[in-house]
Amino acid sequence: MEKDKLLEQMRTAVIEGEIEEGEALARRALEEGIDPLECIEDGFVAGINKVGALYEEGDMFLPELVAAGEVMKEALAVLEPELLKSKQTRTILGRVIIGSVAHDIHDIGKDIVASMLTASGFEVHNLGIDIPADTFVAKVRELQPDILGMSALLTTTMPEQQNVIEILKEEGLRKGVRVMVGGAPVNREWAEAIGADGFAEDAVEAVKVAKTLVGS
Ligand code: B1M
């Protein structure tokens, strides 16, 4: 099938909450040799962005948001292993700890960032969702990563990124780790205001920023 048509069907599967269809389309795209990153960005992510806009306008409701999230998860479960296979390099560029901040359960974008970093040669420790500040700090102490990455998707959870940075300072750990922040409501100004070392708009930029932060 034509690539553009498949990508369009992926967007529709997310918008309509068709989990099996989304997974089948992801498999089909791989069979047809389409780049998994293109499927993620131009297919599934474009679909979920549309869902977000419809939800904001009141044209979609929470159950549909949940269903769209499920379609994303299942499709990514098919695509991400291929992403890792196609891009894996042997040199470890640096160690990264990443997680979604406290009270934030959004993980689709954070997991794409984690996969892209892994695929690009970083050793990634993905802590998951709703990670309390103390856990981030304890993990920094334990694993001594080059980069701590924090994702926040809600305006109400963004301040947690700042909170973690402040605790790192109090604990004398801030100088030993670069902090990268991201997530839909996060921007460069916010990153600078809270004293983060890096901000990325999307997963591709996150890899570039991470490489810069470790001097690669
Ligand atoms: Co939620 N949600 N949600 N949601 N949800 C948003 C974020 C919202 C913008 C929707 C809207 O109103 N338009 C809105 C937030 C409004 C605000 O704060 N201003 C919202 C809301 C309100 C909520 C609830 C409060 C709804 C409710 O319960 N009433 C609730 C909160 C739960 C909680 O966290 N405590 C909630 C719940 C959910 C679901 C569980 C249903 C589901 C999440 C499923 C999951 O993640 N497993 C969900 C979804 C799917 C969304 C939208 C539609 C899509 C998010 C997503 O996956 N985007 C979202 C609308 C939107 O963002 N447009 C929305 C695709 C993903 C690839 O993009 O996550 O931005 P993103 O990641 C990108 C970049 O941001 C960047 O790279 C990624 C890849 O390109 N990036 C980083 C991300 N992290 C990074 C870290 C980095 C660097 C870059 O460095 C460390």
Side-chain angles (χ1 to χ4, degrees), residues 45 48-49 52 55-56 62 65-66 103-109 112-113 149-151 153-155 180-184 200-203:
V45 170
I48 199 121
N49 284 341
Y55 178 77
E56 207 164 59
L62 194 55
L65 201 66
V66 173
H103 313 298
D104 203 316
I105 64 166
H106 295 87
D107 63 357
I108 293 168
I112 296 175
V113 172
M150 290 182 282
S151 184
L153 263 285
L154 299 169
T155 42
M180 175 162 69
V181 293
E201 188 83 42
D202 58 31

Side-chain angles (χ1 to χ4, degrees), residues 91-169:
T91 340
I92 298 294
L93 297 178
R95 181 178 294 165
V96 180
I97 290 178
I98 191 167
S100 301
V101 297
H103 313 298
D104 203 316
I105 64 166
H106 295 87
D107 63 357
I108 293 168
K110 181 262 297 168
D111 285 348
I112 296 175
V113 172
S115 291
M116 286 290 289
L117 288 171
T118 306
S120 306
F122 286 89
E123 175 193 315
V124 178
H125 298 258
N126 188 343
L127 303 185
I129 54 172
D130 189 12
I131 303 300
D134 289 349
T135 304
F136 276 121
V137 173
K139 282 288 170 188
V140 167
R141 193 189 301 281
E142 179 194 333
L143 298 171
Q144 303 190 350
D146 300 287
I147 298 173
L148 168 64
M150 290 182 282
S151 184
L153 263 285
L154 299 169
T155 42
T156 49
T157 59
M158 283 166 67
E160 270 299 311
Q161 296 177 329
Q162 181 170 24
N163 187 24
V164 173
I165 290 175
E166 292 307 320
I167 301 176
L168 285 173
K169 281 185 198 157

